Amino acid sequence: MKIRTIKLREAHKNGENGGNSFCSILWDQQGDRIVTASSSDPSIWVHDAQFPSVNPKSIKHHRDGVTALALSPNFTCLASGSIDHSVKLYKFPGGEFETNITRFTLPIRALAFNKSGTMLAAAGDDEGIKLINTIDGSIARVLKGHKGSITGLAFDPKSEYFASVDSTGTVIHWELQPGTILNTLKGIAPATFSDQSAMNMLSWSPDGDLLAVPGLKNDVVMYDRDTAEKLFSLRGDHVQPICFLSWSPNGRYMATSGSDRQIIIWDVDKKQDIDRQKFSDRISCMAWKPHGNALAVIDSKGKYGVWESPVPSSMKSPTEDIPNVRSNGLLLFDEEEEEEASASGSLSDLGDDSLGESELSSRKRLRKNSTLDNSWGEDINDELDLHPNVESHKKASKSKKDSIDHEKHEIKNRMTYSAPKMQESFQPGATPVQPGKRRFLCYNMLGSVTSMDHDGYSHIEIDFHDTSSGPRVPAMTDYFGFTMASLNENGSVFANPCKGEKNMSTLMYRPFSSWASNSEWSMRLEEEEVRAVALGTTWVAAATSLNFLRIFSDSGLQRYILSLDGPVVTLVGLKDELAVVTHSSPALPSDGQMLEFRVLNVRSATESLRGRLPLTPGSYLRWFGFSEEGQLGSFDSKGVLRVYTNQYGGSWFPVFSSSKLKKPDENYWVVGLNATKLFCVVCKSPYSFPQATPKPILTLLDLSFPLAASDLGAENLENDFILNNMHLHQIQKRIEENAAAGRDTASIDDEAFTIEAALDRCILRLIASCCNGDKLVRATELVKLLSMEKSVKGAIKLVTALKLPNLAERFSTILEERMLNEAMGSTVLHGNFKFDAPVQADDVFERPSLPESSTEKAVLPLPPQRSSTPSFPKEEKAEQPPNAGNGIVGSTRALRVEKTVEAKDVKGATNPVKKQPEEIPVSFNRPSNPFAKKSNRQEHSSLFDSIKKMKTDTTGKR
Amino acid sequence: MASQADAHAATFSAAELEFLAEDELIEIVPNMRMDPLNLICGDFGPFRPQIATQVPVWLAVALKRRGKCTIRPPDWMSVEKLTQVLEAERDAEKFQPLPFHYVEISRLLFDHARDDIPDIYMVRSLIEDIKDVRFHKIGTGLEIISRERTYALRLKNLSAMEANIVRPFVTRALQTFYKLSSPDMIQDSDSVSNRQPQTANRGPRRQLKDR
């Protein structure tokens, strides 16, 4: 048997003692979320099944460990029982606390919902089992009969019977309607008196015909539904008693976990084991995925995981032919609930025999109603990339408005569950609400806005990271309940969604310094809700629920109102630029979110960019913003950072992928980026966002393209190569823009030169590794990409040192060719323009390198001289003082050069190769800096050449 | 200690040791923006608000005094780590690995960055305890040496402060043992080290009793 390992993640800290505890696990309806609880942890965690690194949501209302969990069959209501003697109900998936539905005098051990979700059974160390109406919380019945503490409860899926088991191993078979004992089977299950981490349990098969109970001989015994007679048992490789069992949704398979720390999957019909899995700890709870072949497990140390495809693909899927009547014990599972389920809560409904029929009709109805439903309605096995944590706006606002009718809304909204949700709007750098804790409304490279809820109002504080230069902003009390904020050097903007009739959505702007007092302003929006805010220099923008983009000036003047193409996802502002991300269409069932972005220039009222915003399939946008250089960047929930470049007609380059770092226990919460680094807060799993106190510290991560594993084995170099190329392109673009605008580009030129030098260094290293890896063609191609001729010379030296004379010859031919091209280019300039003296000096200085190449070639056949110049440290090559070794050669051969150049002059002058006339003034500017080093000037001219070279190269290639 | 100092037992004063320890690197989180500092001992920075960077302790303390940074206590200065070390130190015969300048660095941080260390009282008492346990170990260890005949001594993971305290005594004691055990050596160096064996012979016992 193939041995697979299932990676378990820690969900619950296991108390101080490190002992075993009883943990529970549940799936939600779609298999998007996994709910876990542990008897040593008072909080329930809701994990994201697809993105385990996404921060789980905690539901903490119990004061002591949670021993039992149950999800109502319509998946809208979560019940939990705890050692603190209480049973609580929550809304699901929201997790809002609803009620303390009952209390016991001793700890709770087991919970179960009935088929329709109208009744909850709860029991524990007390003597009676309470049957509670979930509608009003009234106790319908108390079933007394057990001697020990009750550890397992199960409603019969046909709602006739009820079974319970206690820690002494006694199973009682109840008839629900009168609430009387049908059969008492004493001591049929293993007794687990002392061990609270292993509890007896039992489960009805999904069709209700069999009751499975762990047996005394390390087996599972099946009892008849009506007579409680022993029918057969599943016996196999468990060497210790079974402590948990779970039927697959179709009742064909069963998963059992034993105290011997293994899980066995059984084919129930053949009474045979199919597969098994060993674990390091006892698995205390399991749950089959409602749609699909997966089993969620949690061990007694509080670690959970998902066993993908426990049933081999050759066999029928565990979800095929799901019987109409379904429900099994702890794993309450249902697709459709009874139509009047929530309306009728009385016991008389329990014995409804026409259940199957009504379900069939309701299924038809469902299919008719929802078109998006098809994919899982027809092919359940097809796992959808469903969207987690994202709820439709509609539902979110509804659930806010009325909590009483929540359940009804859930039922109505169920149809939309089948397709991924459109991502809700968010503010970059905001963290979700955590009760009783300070949260970030905004955290960026500049500072942070935090908010802390006190009953009814909240305290908002604004801090700048740089305490010495940023203004000091007094804390403010917020009576509006702001949930969105944005911050820049000049001010901050706040907004709140509307809460009910009275509290309208408000937008407020607070400048940090103003000559006039009382210069803060606020706007109220009627019948409209602010979804996202942003601010830049002298403007404030807010996108609203009516898909309006409202732009205000910083003094509060309403400047523009634009209609957006779709619901807004986020807004970001930097200086004059405002980036808007909107939904372009509903989320695709296969691919997730469909987003598009626009970049608007607020000052000139123009649109500078527009396009689709790509995301990793199945992910959603986590962060969006400008880099320090003003480039757009996006970060999605799968941990891929993308940067917008204007190459290839404007595309997004993935420049970072957290999966490449191979640190699964770390989540990255992006704050910003610059050209080479990503600024983020590293959060240890399960947290995906930082706490506001203590102030999170930024970590710098290198940008790295998700490169394919190359045969070269020099991924760092290749990464640098692409990155430098990208930067160079951007800088050249900027130079062109600035030059076109007639601005001084000297400083950018310097920057471009350093990048160019870095790129050449990187290419030289790549050439070295290519030569070592015997990839000579690639090396030759790389040489052509070198921008400075002295780096080409370096490359020639390098390959001669590596004893590759063949390659050296090729390289020198390349060098010669480019010298020729350059000479032509420079003579053209010569012919067209009268140069100032210093520039001419440059020019002359440049030229001797032509004969140098010929000397190099001449020398080449003489290996001793070559090898006498040993392989330089590679970095040095690019940084050699320009023409250091060439002076003598240059001067002696200058005459000849002049001649050769002049010979070409005639040809060149006729050839109008004047590509960038706007760059010429730049070269005039250069001598104006008297402090510029001479070598610097030389560098500039070589930059020019290289730019030209790049141009010709690129035009030549593409 | 200074009174003992002679050619053989050159010891440092506590202040001197602290000065030496100030060259150790420590992580700070600046709250100001500053270009990299190019110092003789190396380049530090650039300093950007909220982004951690490594600097020598002396620089960290100087910045901290001006309220320009918060110091991140090193990993070993957490309550869990120190509790572990203390337990291991009590159980094991050997010395637990701790930074060479742990006494000095913790002292410096307690003096200058009290607000940056979580659970400072706990940390402080743990470090005191560890120090005591280790010094006690040194004392008992030396007692064993003096009982048996030893010429060399291996003390792994001894910190600067501890080494500084035992150095004058241990080196001289071992030297004396060696000389006493080899008869020709005694005769050779009789004139030279006439005085030393006597003081050394008496010295150790007195010191050990004190501990």
Side-chain angles (χ1 to χ4, degrees):
Chain A
M1 197 184 291
K2 206 174 72 184
I3 293 164
R4 286 160 300 184
T5 49
I6 298 168
K7 228 186 103 209
L8 297 186
R9 293 174 160 268
E10 188 163 282
H12 299 273
K13 287 265 180 276
N14 209 14
E16 293 82 47
N17 47 12
N20 291 336
S21 46
F22 184 80
C23 303
S24 333
I25 193 160
L26 288 175
W27 286 94
D28 80 338
Q29 183 180 22
Q30 289 297 331
D32 287 348
R33 299 183 183 83
I34 295 178
V35 188
T36 65
S38 159
S39 62
S40 56
D41 186 355
S43 37
I44 300 164
W45 290 93
V46 182
H47 306 268
D48 196 308
Q50 283 168 44
F51 314 109
S53 53
V54 171
N55 206 51
K57 191 161 61 180
S58 85
I59 305 173
K60 187 173 177 181
H61 289 281
H62 282 294
R63 287 194 309 271
D64 209 332
V66 179
T67 49
L69 280 183
L71 205 48
S72 72
N74 58 10
F75 294 93
T76 55
C77 182
L78 178 72
S80 69
S82 160
I83 300 177
D84 69 6
H85 313 172
S86 66
V87 179
K88 296 178 195 274
L89 287 187
Y90 314 90
K91 281 178 195 159
F92 193 78
E96 295 91 358
F97 173 68
E98 245 174 18
T99 172
N100 264 324
I101 195 145
T102 188
R103 281 182 193 283
F104 280 68
T105 53
L106 286 170
I108 319 293
R109 298 286 170 202
L111 289 175
F113 274 103
N114 73 343
K115 168 73 191 159
S116 55
T118 54
M119 190 158 291
L120 176 71
D125 295 354
D126 281 27
E127 62 172 337
I129 301 166
K130 286 187 188 172
L131 299 182
I132 307 146
N133 282 325
T134 49
I135 303 300
D136 51 2
S138 64
I139 291 173
R141 201 147 288 172
V142 179
L143 306 175
K144 289 190 180 179
H146 277 290
K147 300 279 187 292
S149 77
I150 297 148
T151 57
L153 301 171
F155 279 99
D156 159 31
K158 294 178 187 163
S159 301
E160 282 178 57
Y161 304 120
F162 179 77
S164 58
V165 62
D166 63 25
S167 59
T168 64
T170 300
V171 173
I172 300 185
H173 198 192
W174 311 82
E175 197 167 8
L176 266 181
Q177 199 50 306
T180 51
I181 296 177
L182 273 181
N183 289 296
T184 305
L185 307 165
K186 272 205 175 151
I188 59 157
T192 56
F193 295 103
S194 50
D195 192 357
Q196 298 287 18
S197 67
M199 304 211 291
N200 271 330
M201 61 89 55
L202 72 182
S203 178
W204 293 91
S205 66
D207 57 7
D209 289 342
L210 297 169
L211 175 65
V213 182
L216 294 171
K217 297 171 187 163
N218 310 334
D219 54 354
V220 182
V221 185
M222 302 292 176
Y223 294 90
D224 184 73
R225 159 184 183 77
D226 299 310
T227 59
E229 279 172 345
K230 184 171 168 179
L231 292 178
F232 61 92
S233 69
L234 300 176
R235 214 170 149 193
D237 289 324
H238 276 300
V239 293
Q240 284 183 44
I242 286 168
C243 52
F244 197 87
L245 52 89
S246 174
W247 293 88
S248 73
N250 62 357
R252 185 179 283 269
Y253 307 101
M254 175 183 278
T256 59
S257 80
S259 305
D260 51 0
R261 298 174 186 169
Q262 59 177 336
I263 296 182
I264 296 186
I265 309 289
W266 305 84
D267 186 324
V268 178
D269 296 345
K270 294 181 185 151
K271 307 179 182 62
Q272 206 176 13
D273 52 338
I274 305 168
D275 201 352
R276 88 179 66 166
Q277 182 88 40
K278 278 261 181 196
F279 290 88
S280 57
D281 283 296
R282 179 172 51 209
I283 299 298
S284 62
C285 189
M286 299 175 287
W288 289 86
K289 192 171 182 174
H291 312 286
N293 189 357
L295 185 71
V297 299
I298 188 161
D299 69 14
S300 55
K301 296 271 187 266
K303 284 191 250 162
Y304 83 101
V306 176
W307 182 0
E308 295 292 347
S309 52
V311 173
S313 48
S314 53
M315 306 182 74
K316 276 198 170 178
S317 153
T319 50
E320 209 168 303
D321 310 324
I322 295 177
N324 264 334
V325 182
R326 260 159 297 161
S327 179
N328 51 2
L330 283 176
L331 192 152
L332 282 156
F333 159 77
D334 199 0
E335 270 180 353
E336 300 95 16
E337 82 258 40
E338 222 178 324
E339 225 164 331
E340 282 89 29
S342 49
S344 63
S346 70
L347 273 171
S348 59
D349 279 2
L350 289 173
D352 190 359
D353 275 337
S354 63
L355 209 69
E357 277 174 39
S358 74
E359 291 234 296
L360 276 175
S361 64
S362 72
R363 179 184 276 183
K364 273 177 201 154
R365 175 178 51 83
L366 272 174
R367 191 161 296 170
K368 222 188 293 168
N369 283 355
S370 71
T371 48
L372 290 165
D373 201 5
N374 291 341
S375 42
W376 65 264
E378 282 165 20
D379 184 10
I380 291 163
N381 300 333
D382 186 10
E383 276 188 48
L384 295 174
D385 269 325
L386 286 166
H387 220 280
N389 292 347
V390 182
E391 293 153 3
S392 68
H393 296 311
K394 200 173 150 195
K395 206 208 86 201
S397 55
K398 263 186 190 162
S399 61
K400 266 177 208 156
K401 275 177 189 161
D402 43 16
S403 54
I404 313 145
D405 289 339
H406 181 80
E407 214 164 314
K408 278 184 187 169
H409 278 297
E410 284 288 342
I411 296 162
K412 278 181 201 157
N413 283 332
R414 280 255 309 288
M415 264 62 95
T416 54
Y417 261 105
S418 50
K421 301 279 160 1
M422 277 160 76
Q423 163 171 17
E424 250 187 286
S425 59
F426 68 96
Q427 285 293 125
T431 57
V433 188
Q434 297 157 282
K437 280 188 187 163
R438 196 159 267 283
R439 65 178 280 225
F440 285 117
L441 294 180
C442 174
Y443 187 99
N444 56 23
M445 295 301 292
L446 199 70
S448 64
V449 182
T450 58
S451 155
M452 165 101 148
D453 204 29
H454 289 276
D455 24 43
Y457 60 96
S458 39
H459 263 298
I460 289 187
E461 281 174 20
I462 299 172
D463 292 305
F464 283 89
H465 299 323
D466 191 344
T467 47
S468 50
S469 68
R472 284 200 174 273
V473 185
M476 76 175 192
T477 311
D478 149 36
Y479 296 98
F480 294 97
F482 291 133
T483 59
M484 290 161 267
S486 188
L487 172 77
N488 73 359
E489 297 85 352
N490 308 324
S492 55
V493 62
F494 300 92
N496 65 319
C498 56
K499 277 186 284 182
E501 310 292 295
K502 290 177 199 160
N503 198 343
M504 269 184 285
S505 189
T506 312
L507 181 76
M508 185 174 113
Y509 178 73
R510 259 183 110 189
F512 292 141
S513 54
S514 174
W515 56 269
S517 60
N518 199 14
S519 48
E520 66 176 52
W521 51 265
S522 61
M523 301 275 163
R524 291 204 297 172
L525 300 174
E526 279 180 37
E527 318 236 312
E528 196 177 348
E529 195 175 57
V530 178
R531 286 278 154 78
V533 291
L535 79 170
T537 42
T538 72
W539 55 267
V540 175
T544 68
S545 53
L546 296 180
N547 294 351
F548 286 156
L549 176 65
R550 295 171 174 272
I551 299 175
F552 306 87
S553 80
D554 61 348
S555 60
L557 197 63
Q558 309 208 24
R559 293 297 304 277
Y560 305 101
I561 301 174
L562 279 69
S563 259
L564 292 175
D565 297 344
V568 72
V569 178
T570 194
L571 287 185
V572 188
L574 178 77
K575 290 173 190 149
D576 291 338
E577 302 218 295
L578 166 65
V580 190
V581 181
T582 56
H583 286 282
S584 59
S585 77
L588 293 184
S590 57
D591 196 26
Q593 309 296 314
M594 303 288 285
L595 307 182
E596 64 179 9
F597 74 98
R598 289 171 81 179
V599 179
L600 310 171
N601 191 312
V602 175
R603 182 189 297 252
S604 60
T606 52
E607 180 185 83
S608 37
L609 287 175
R610 177 186 203 126
R612 284 288 308 277
L613 180 67
L615 292 175
T616 312
S619 67
Y620 56 94
L621 189 65
R622 268 271 189 81
W623 180 86
F624 192 75
F626 289 98
S627 76
E628 291 188 345
E629 288 80 17
Q631 269 185 293
L632 272 183
S634 77
F635 190 75
D636 68 25
S637 60
K638 292 249 165 113
V640 179
L641 180 79
R642 290 181 179 77
V643 164
Y644 185 84
T645 67
N646 40 32
Q647 277 168 291
Y648 288 100
S651 6
W652 292 85
F653 285 4
V655 292
F656 174 83
S657 172
S658 61
S659 58
K660 287 267 170 183
L661 287 185
K662 298 196 176 69
K663 285 185 186 160
D665 56 335
E666 286 186 352
N667 292 318
Y668 304 105
W669 193 74
V670 174
V671 177
L673 71 153
N674 69 9
T676 53
K677 300 274 184 190
L678 166 68
F679 302 104
C680 63
V681 179
V682 177
C683 307
K684 287 265 177 277
S685 283
Y687 292 101
S688 63
F689 57 86
Q691 301 296 321
T693 46
K695 222 172 162 191
I697 286 152
L698 295 175
T699 310
L700 276 72
L701 296 174
D702 286 324
L703 296 186
S704 59
F705 285 88
L707 292 171
S710 151
D711 50 356
L712 208 58
E715 273 168 33
N716 289 343
L717 294 179
E718 285 183 282
N719 183 49
D720 287 352
F721 174 63
I722 302 184
L723 208 60
N724 281 328
N725 264 328
M726 191 176 90
H727 293 155
L728 195 60
H729 185 92
Q730 282 154 13
I731 287 203
Q732 281 167 6
K733 169 108 179 156
R734 259 165 63 201
I735 292 177
E736 276 170 39
E737 277 171 6
N738 278 2
R743 266 169 280 168
D744 181 15
T745 56
S747 64
I748 313 178
D749 281 352
D750 284 347
E751 214 176 306
F753 178 74
T754 45
I755 289 180
E756 225 167 51
L759 182 61
D760 273 12
R761 265 202 296 280
C762 166
I763 291 176
L764 279 173
R765 276 188 219 163
L766 266 175
I767 291 172
S769 63
C770 278
C771 292
N772 288 333
D774 213 20
K775 309 271 178 244
L776 301 185
V777 182
R778 209 177 293 171
T780 322
E781 195 202 330
L782 283 166
V783 168
K784 288 181 189 155
L785 297 176
L786 284 171
S787 50
M788 281 175 277
E789 63 191 59
K790 67 178 178 217
S791 346
V792 182
K793 282 170 206 156
I796 294 170
K797 277 177 199 153
L798 176 74
V799 290
T800 30
L802 288 169
K803 304 225 164 59
L804 296 163
N806 198 356
L807 209 56
E809 203 158 322
R810 260 176 199 286
F811 285 6
S812 22
T813 337
I814 293 168
L815 180 63
E816 217 168 306
E817 271 171 30
R818 68 186 280 165
M819 305 265 46
L820 217 66
N821 290 343
E822 263 163 43
M824 276 162 69
S826 66
T827 46
V828 168
L829 291 177
H830 228 300
N832 288 352
F833 283 87
K834 287 214 164 183
F835 275 86
D836 281 341
V839 180
Q840 215 156 15
D842 270 3
D843 212 16
V844 174
F845 199 51
E846 183 84 31
R847 248 179 269 153
S849 42
L850 176 66
E852 216 272 334
S853 78
S854 56
T855 50
E856 205 124 68
K857 220 188 154 190
V859 168
L860 208 64
L862 303 168
Q865 200 187 334
R866 280 285 121 230
S867 51
S868 69
T869 54
S871 60
F872 285 78
K874 285 156 207 159
E875 286 99 308
E876 260 180 45
K877 279 181 183 140
E879 286 165 357
Q880 277 173 37
N883 291 349
N886 307 343
I888 315 148
V889 190
S891 57
T892 49
R893 313 228 169 182
L895 259 171
R896 219 185 66 187
V897 187
E898 222 70 80
K899 271 181 197 163
T900 48
V901 170
E902 254 155 280
K904 276 156 208 151
D905 219 339
V906 191
K907 243 197 288 170
T910 56
N911 191 5
V913 200
K914 200 170 70 73
K915 283 208 166 149
Q916 292 150 310
E918 71 271 12
E919 275 189 26
I920 307 307
V922 178
S923 67
F924 284 111
N925 284 339
R926 221 165 273 132
S928 69
N929 181 359
F931 299 109
K933 283 183 219 151
K934 197 177 181 196
S935 64
N936 224 14
R937 251 189 280 159
Q938 155 68 17
E939 284 161 5
H940 284 307
S941 61
S942 79
L943 160 79
F944 260 124
D945 298 336
S946 65
I947 292 173
K948 255 172 267 153
K949 169 83 175 54
M950 292 286 283
K951 286 271 142 80
T952 50
D953 260 8
T954 46
T955 48
K957 259 185 285 168
R958 280 159 206 167
Chain B
M1 228 175 277
S3 62
Q4 288 181 10
D6 59 0
H8 278 282
T11 55
F12 300 108
S13 69
E16 282 167 334
L17 274 178
E18 200 173 274
F19 176 76
L20 291 176
E22 282 182 346
D23 276 343
E24 296 287 307
L25 292 185
I26 196 164
E27 214 170 36
I28 62 163
V29 181
N31 55 15
M32 81 310 189
R33 193 173 283 271
M34 189 162 77
D35 287 334
L37 291 173
N38 304 317
L39 308 173
I40 295 171
C41 52
D43 295 351
F44 301 103
F47 301 91
R48 309 189 53 176
Q50 265 335 88
I51 293 174
T53 180
Q54 295 257 343
V55 294
V57 173
W58 60 264
L59 182 55
V61 169
L63 288 173
K64 176 75 192 172
R65 278 207 193 118
R66 286 166 177 75
K68 298 287 185 200
C69 74
T70 54
I71 297 179
R72 296 183 85 184
D75 286 341
W76 55 266
M77 258 181 87
S78 66
V79 174
E80 306 96 80
K81 271 277 163 59
L82 288 174
T83 325
Q84 274 174 21
V85 169
L86 180 60
E87 266 168 32
E89 201 76 67
R90 279 187 176 138
D91 295 344
E93 189 82 344
K94 285 178 184 155
F95 293 99
Q96 296 305 307
L98 270 175
F100 189 57
H101 289 293
Y102 83 97
V103 182
E104 300 90 314
I105 291 177
S106 56
R107 174 69 190 274
L108 279 166
L109 295 193
F110 291 143
D111 287 351
H112 300 289
R114 322 186 98 256
D115 45 337
D116 295 339
I117 305 167
D119 309 316
I120 182 158
Y121 288 107
M122 195 69 187
V123 171
R124 189 171 210 154
S125 67
L126 278 168
I127 288 184
E128 289 291 322
D129 287 354
I130 290 171
K131 214 160 77 181
D132 287 349
V133 171
R134 286 171 71 117
F135 276 114
H136 179 73
K137 235 190 237 184
I138 295 166
T140 50
L142 292 185
E143 230 167 312
I144 294 163
I145 300 165
S146 58
R147 245 181 265 137
E148 292 162 19
R149 187 157 286 185
T150 330
Y151 308 125
L153 195 58
R154 174 187 275 190
L155 289 166
K156 246 183 147 178
N157 292 332
L158 210 59
S159 79
M161 194 66 99
E162 291 152 1
N164 193 45
I165 286 170
V166 298
R167 186 185 293 123
F169 160 67
V170 169
T171 45
R172 262 193 284 163
L174 291 177
Q175 223 168 19
T176 316
F177 283 143
Y178 183 69
K179 280 173 191 163
L180 289 175
S181 66
S182 58
D184 42 302
M185 272 298 281
I186 296 177
Q187 280 145 21
D188 275 358
S189 60
D190 208 13
S191 55
V192 183
S193 56
N194 201 12
R195 180 179 48 93
Q196 279 178 3
Q198 288 171 350
T199 51
N201 268 344
R202 243 169 271 133
R205 266 180 219 126
R206 215 172 281 147
Q207 267 196 347
L208 290 172
K209 269 171 202 159
D210 286 348
R211 288 219 64 83

